[in-house]
Structure formats: C-alpha cells, structure tokens
Amino acid sequence: MPGHFEPLPGGGAAVALDDIEISIIRSLATQLLELIGPGPAEDAPDDPLAALFAEGPSEPPADPVLKRLFPDAYCDPEETPALSQEAEERRAYSAEFRRYTENDLRAAKRENALAVIHSLNQLAPAGEGGAVLELSVEESKRWLGALNDLRLAIGSRLEITDEDDTDSIYRLPDEDPRKPMVMAYLWLGGLQETLVSTLMP
C-alpha cells in the first residue's frame, strides 16, 4: 500500500507512510491550523445556545488562500464587482450567509486538521523509518476534508484555477522554486483520490 490508501476489512482505510511523508503531512496540517486561526476566544460565552448564534465575519478574508477555503456563497470570486442591483443583492446575501456559517466552517476545518495531526502523533513505527496509518471510516472522512483543504491552499499559492493551470505545473523545470510545492500538491491529490475510493460502497 505504499503511497496510496487501501480499504480495510470492515471499513476504514490504511496507508504506509515513511518518516519524511509523516513529517510533511504533519507540517502542512499545522500550517493549515495556523492559517485558519485559533478557536473561540477564552472569553467566549459558556452558553452553548449563545455560541450557536454567535455571528462571524461578513466580509471575505483578504488572504487569497482563505478566500479559497471560505468562498462567497452567492458571488463569483473572479467576477469583477458590478454596480447593478443584482450584484449588490448577491453581495448582501453572501455577507449574511458568511456571518452565520463561517465560524462553524472554520471550526470543522480546524477539527479535521487536528484529527490528522493527532492520528499521525499516535503512529507506532513499523520498521525501516515508516509506519502504517489505519483510519476508521469517521477518521477517513476527517482526513479527506483536511487533504482537500491542503490541496486548495497549495493550489491557491500556485495560482491554479483550472485544468490549464494544472497542465502547466506538470512541466515546471526541476530548478523552479515552486517545484516542491507542486510535488506536494500532486502527492496529496493521489492520497485524496485513493482515500475517496475506500469510502465508496
């Protein structure tokens, strides 16, 4: 199973990872956590009902990666701002939707990244500098969410927006400084694809 996930009997998935791969995934998940930001502040209300209705931001993030992770619900991020009433209404709907959903979305992405780090920290060495990671179905879903977020983040940094961009990164010369990021993007894509296949009935 080197380099890709395989299904486990009874559900779940397994993948063999060497020490370098474990270190890369852990580092990327940690960076994702730092990018998404901390959880609720210590002075947040203890009342779960109040926390449920706590409002989040209404404006999209300035960072292009966060914009990709938390896109507007009703606006095309690539669309040039228009002055039409319809465009204004879409922006208003997007702001309202963001205000009531982004906090929960950020929390879910944090939990997924933390689940990846936690499962890697629990790995027992399997010899020769590697280990076999075994995930339950629920853990597989969290990993899938985190892998997707990591690829979105890397893809945003590489300015990948469509298939043509993906084709061009395959042809980067080895001396290009983006090459390691491209290799990580492609490798994570392989992990993501094979993990999806283990979750299919």
Side-chain angles (χ1 to χ4, degrees):
M1 72 181 80
H4 61 271
F5 280 97
E6 293 185 356
L8 287 172
V15 62
L17 298 169
D18 63 32
D19 289 343
I20 293 174
E21 292 169 331
I22 292 168
S23 177
I24 290 172
I25 297 174
R26 184 187 288 118
S27 175
L28 290 172
T30 301
Q31 291 175 54
L32 181 64
L33 275 175
E34 292 171 355
L35 183 65
I36 292 170
E42 291 182 2
D43 58 353
D46 293 330
D47 181 0
L49 189 60
L52 179 65
F53 291 100
E55 293 186 9
S58 59
E59 294 297 320
D63 185 290
V65 174
L66 290 175
K67 275 187 181 178
R68 193 86 171 267
L69 292 173
F70 305 103
D72 273 333
Y74 299 97
C75 297
D76 181 353
E78 304 302 322
E79 182 181 45
T80 303
L83 298 177
S84 70
Q85 183 177 352
E86 182 183 348
E88 289 296 331
E89 287 176 353
R90 287 202 306 270
R91 278 198 288 274
Y93 292 148
S94 289
E96 190 75 1
F97 186 80
R98 182 180 296 278
R99 183 163 42 220
Y100 292 107
T101 59
E102 186 168 312
N103 283 346
D104 288 341
L105 190 55
R106 282 181 181 264
K109 290 180 183 299
R110 275 193 298 268
E111 288 171 8
N112 289 342
L114 282 169
V116 167
I117 294 169
H118 182 67
S119 58
L120 292 176
N121 288 344
Q122 288 187 319
L123 276 178
E128 297 185 7
V132 175
L133 173 70
E134 294 189 355
L135 303 174
S136 67
V137 172
E138 184 58 36
E139 288 170 332
S140 295
K141 291 176 181 177
R142 291 201 175 278
W143 263 75
L144 193 57
L147 288 172
N148 185 62
D149 288 341
L150 288 172
R151 291 194 80 237
L152 283 174
I154 295 172
S156 180
R157 291 289 188 237
L158 291 170
E159 299 180 346
I160 296 172
T161 57
D162 55 35
E163 284 300 320
D164 291 339
D165 296 330
T166 304
D167 290 341
S168 67
I169 68 170
Y170 288 125
R171 297 188 294 273
L172 287 178
D174 290 342
E175 61 271 15
D176 191 298
R178 296 170 294 170
K179 191 71 171 187
M181 200 181 298
V182 169
M183 298 307 294
Y185 179 80
L186 298 174
W187 173 56
L188 292 173
L191 288 176
Q192 183 182 17
E193 184 177 347
T194 56
L195 184 54
V196 167
S197 68
T198 70
L199 293 170
M200 295 175 68

